[in-house]
Amino acid sequence: MINRYTRPEMGRIWKPENQYAKWLEVEIAACEAMSEAGIIPENSLTNIKKKANFSMERILKIEEETKHDVIAFLTNVAEYVGPDSRFIHLGLTSSDILDTSLALLLKEASNLIINDLTEFIEVIKKRAMEHKYTVMIGRSHGIHAEPITFGLKLAVWYSEMKRHLKRLIEARDVISYGKLSGAVGTFANVSPDVEADTCKKLGLKPAEISTQIIQRDRHAQYFTTLAILAGTLEKIAVEIRHLQRTEVLEAEEPFAKGQKGSSAMPHKKNPIGSENISGLSRLVRSNCLAAMENMVLWHERDISHSSVERVIAPDSTILIDFMLHRLKGIVGGLVVHPDRMAENLKKTKGLIFSQQILMKLTSKGIERQKAYVIVQRNAMEAWKSGREFKGLIMEDRELRTYLKKEEIEEIFDLDYHLKHVDDIFERVFTCREG
């Protein structure tokens, strides 16, 4: 529903006035197709196109009596058109209008989201290039692992967002289908040619086959695509939240002049934007489950899906639009602290080079498990004593029987871990997604 997270362009799509306008657009397109097929007199079509209109207030008033929104809408339109209104909705059922107009609304919302995502991708790319060689620690299980660059972290996000762009374009295509096949999909009162012509006028494709409705696997795919995108947006948000922790402080959200972090503690700068995205992504993901439940309807149609879609269609598109816009601003203005990254890189006193010691020992012909034990005992001593890992390695008599001092010195070199950064960037930013 339209709420505090609604940006103006997306909000306009889901205003009731626009939804009724889409109903009228479908009805008029159907009249045009029927006129071209010789079903509706040309002068009647001219009159319909000239006079057809609606009043929100009047529709709601009529609906109080009819308890049926489409009938209330048609009744109100007829009040504007007059006798020629008998040709409006000729041979159609409510779902012909509702499903076809929903396709128009979702397609329009998709265009905004695709534009949002395209802009966000460019922001990520710009920051990735900026920090291509900004060295930081890579973490697994939240524990220091081996060195990476902040640019590589951003490149991962960029690559994932490119996949989302492909998914969104496909989801938009899957949802861009209309139907005018009647009460049970048999075209008893409207021909397939009229349906095809109507859909073409609306920029849609006719459903290959339908019942009273377009089958909801299409909608399930659409809302699942939004849910997967929401998952990545939260993944990025959670990463930023972690990097902004006081103990880490390698990057932080932009903090505007006059902004306040806490009502109680004036020193606070909280990652509220990212936390907001984490919360909203849960709603988008839960909505995709509702869309999947909507696939299971009785026979040729029941109405259990309708109430759900009146909530999840505006909610999911509004939230994704908002989340992309917000995260674009956060990533674009992200305050990065390379000095803090360098400081954190040294916190484990060289333990991040343990795998290179292990590999060097095995290259000397030592059985891997034996080499692992040698390296691990020095690593555990470094954790325990707080001493430099390289110093312990240098003092290990057993290990020194295999490795010279010069060989050990070479191992403790950050450039070893960064030698393929250019190759990775080449693959991510210049190669096509496979």
Side-chain angles (χ1 to χ4, degrees):
M1 301 297 180
I2 295 176
N3 53 44
R4 63 175 296 185
Y5 302 112
T6 307
R7 299 177 66 228
E9 284 191 337
M10 186 63 79
R12 180 193 59 77
I13 293 173
W14 296 110
K15 283 184 176 179
E17 294 88 345
N18 187 54
Q19 296 184 61
Y20 285 127
K22 287 291 187 289
W23 290 10
L24 189 58
E25 185 179 347
V26 175
E27 292 283 8
I28 290 176
C31 288
E32 289 176 337
M34 290 181 192
S35 179
E36 291 167 9
I39 300 170
I40 297 178
E42 188 174 337
N43 62 331
S44 295
L45 174 65
T46 300
N47 187 48
I48 289 169
K49 293 174 69 175
K50 179 181 178 181
K51 294 182 177 179
N53 207 335
F54 61 86
S55 162
M56 283 285 301
E57 183 180 353
R58 179 66 177 142
I59 291 171
L60 296 175
K61 184 67 175 176
I62 297 169
E63 191 178 350
E64 289 179 7
E65 179 182 347
T66 63
K67 304 296 189 290
H68 195 293
D69 54 358
V70 175
I71 292 175
F73 165 77
L74 292 169
T75 301
N76 180 227
V77 173
E79 292 172 342
Y80 284 90
V81 174
D84 283 326
S85 64
R86 67 187 186 278
F87 295 115
I88 298 175
H89 205 70
L90 189 64
L92 303 180
T93 189
S94 296
S95 288
D96 290 329
I97 306 306
L98 294 172
D99 279 10
T100 305
S101 64
L102 179 59
L104 293 174
L105 292 166
L106 290 175
K107 183 179 179 182
E108 193 174 348
S110 298
N111 290 337
L112 284 181
I113 293 169
I114 287 169
N115 185 64
D116 292 337
L117 182 54
T118 302
E119 291 179 357
F120 185 36
I121 286 172
E122 288 306 307
V123 168
I124 296 173
K125 180 179 180 179
K126 180 181 178 182
R127 298 309 305 265
M129 295 301 176
E130 179 185 348
H131 292 286
K132 184 177 182 179
Y133 301 113
T134 302
V135 186
M136 65 183 298
I137 190 61
R139 297 172 172 91
S140 58
H141 305 275
I143 308 301
H144 285 206
E146 293 182 344
I148 61 170
T149 73
F150 191 55
L152 287 173
K153 191 182 290 289
L154 287 155
V156 170
W157 300 349
Y158 176 88
S159 180
E160 194 162 339
M161 285 301 169
K162 286 199 301 180
R163 292 193 294 276
H164 284 306
L165 184 58
K166 288 177 64 177
R167 293 187 189 104
L168 278 171
I169 292 170
E170 181 181 355
R172 180 185 61 185
D173 291 343
V174 165
I175 209 67
S176 296
Y177 281 79
K179 60 89 61 181
L180 269 73
S181 57
V184 289
T186 59
F187 295 100
N189 301 300
V190 176
S191 73
D193 288 340
V194 167
E195 178 192 70
D197 192 16
T198 301
C199 288
K200 185 177 180 180
K201 293 177 185 298
L202 296 168
L204 303 174
K205 290 169 280 189
E208 180 182 355
I209 186 172
S210 58
T211 56
Q212 189 176 113
I213 60 166
I214 291 173
Q215 301 308 288
R216 260 44 194 177
D217 64 291
R218 294 184 182 277
H219 304 76
Q221 179 176 344
Y222 181 84
F223 289 107
T224 299
T225 299
L226 297 187
I228 298 171
L229 172 56
T232 297
L233 297 181
E234 183 178 10
K235 180 177 89 171
I236 295 171
V238 167
E239 181 69 21
I240 292 171
R241 289 167 61 190
H242 170 76
L243 295 178
Q244 190 164 335
R245 290 174 57 208
T246 306
E247 296 82 358
V248 180
L249 203 57
E250 294 177 351
E252 56 183 326
E253 290 185 4
F255 196 78
K257 184 178 181 180
Q259 184 175 340
K260 305 294 188 291
S262 168
S263 63
M265 297 167 283
H267 71 279
K268 296 292 290 297
K269 292 199 294 183
N270 302 324
I272 57 170
S274 298
E275 291 173 334
N276 186 235
I277 287 167
S278 287
L280 296 178
S281 71
R282 298 166 191 169
L283 291 174
V284 179
R285 290 199 298 271
S286 66
N287 284 350
C288 95
L289 296 177
M292 291 181 185
E293 294 293 333
N294 276 353
M295 291 173 62
V296 186
L297 303 177
W298 287 13
H299 306 298
E300 277 58 59
R301 183 242 183 169
D302 65 56
I303 202 173
S304 60
H305 66 289
S306 177
S307 56
V308 176
E309 288 169 357
R310 291 170 192 244
V311 174
I312 67 174
D315 273 11
S316 289
T317 53
I318 284 170
L319 293 178
I320 284 290
D321 175 59
F322 175 83
M323 291 161 67
L324 281 167
H325 180 74
R326 167 159 285 189
L327 198 54
K328 180 181 71 173
I330 291 173
V331 173
L334 196 68
V335 180
V336 181
H337 300 294
D339 53 343
R340 183 70 173 188
M341 291 176 175
E343 181 184 339
N344 287 340
L345 201 62
K346 300 174 183 177
K347 277 191 173 179
T348 58
K349 300 184 182 300
L351 284 175
I352 57 178
F353 297 100
S354 68
Q355 183 174 187
Q356 282 62 64
I357 300 289
L358 174 63
M359 292 174 63
K360 195 69 173 179
L361 287 173
T362 56
S363 73
K364 300 290 185 177
I366 304 173
E367 190 269 329
R368 189 179 189 282
Q369 187 54 38
K370 179 180 178 181
Y372 193 101
V373 170
I374 294 172
V375 178
Q376 188 184 42
R377 73 176 177 230
N378 285 284
M380 294 303 104
E381 178 60 27
W383 279 114
K384 181 180 178 180
S385 65
R387 290 185 58 190
E388 290 287 340
F389 182 54
K390 183 164 71 172
L392 291 168
I393 292 296
M394 290 290 192
E395 294 172 6
D396 190 303
R397 292 184 179 182
E398 182 181 12
L399 187 148
R400 289 300 305 280
T401 61
Y402 303 107
L403 298 182
K404 298 177 182 178
K405 179 180 179 181
E406 295 77 16
E407 291 177 306
I408 295 173
E409 291 286 355
E410 288 176 1
I411 287 169
F412 287 81
D413 182 3
L414 280 174
D415 289 341
Y416 173 88
H417 292 275
L418 310 180
K419 58 182 178 290
H420 291 301
V421 169
D422 287 340
D423 296 330
I424 297 171
F425 266 62
E426 177 74 16
R427 289 166 67 170
V428 172
F429 294 102
T430 64
C431 298
R432 288 188 175 183
E433 186 74 43

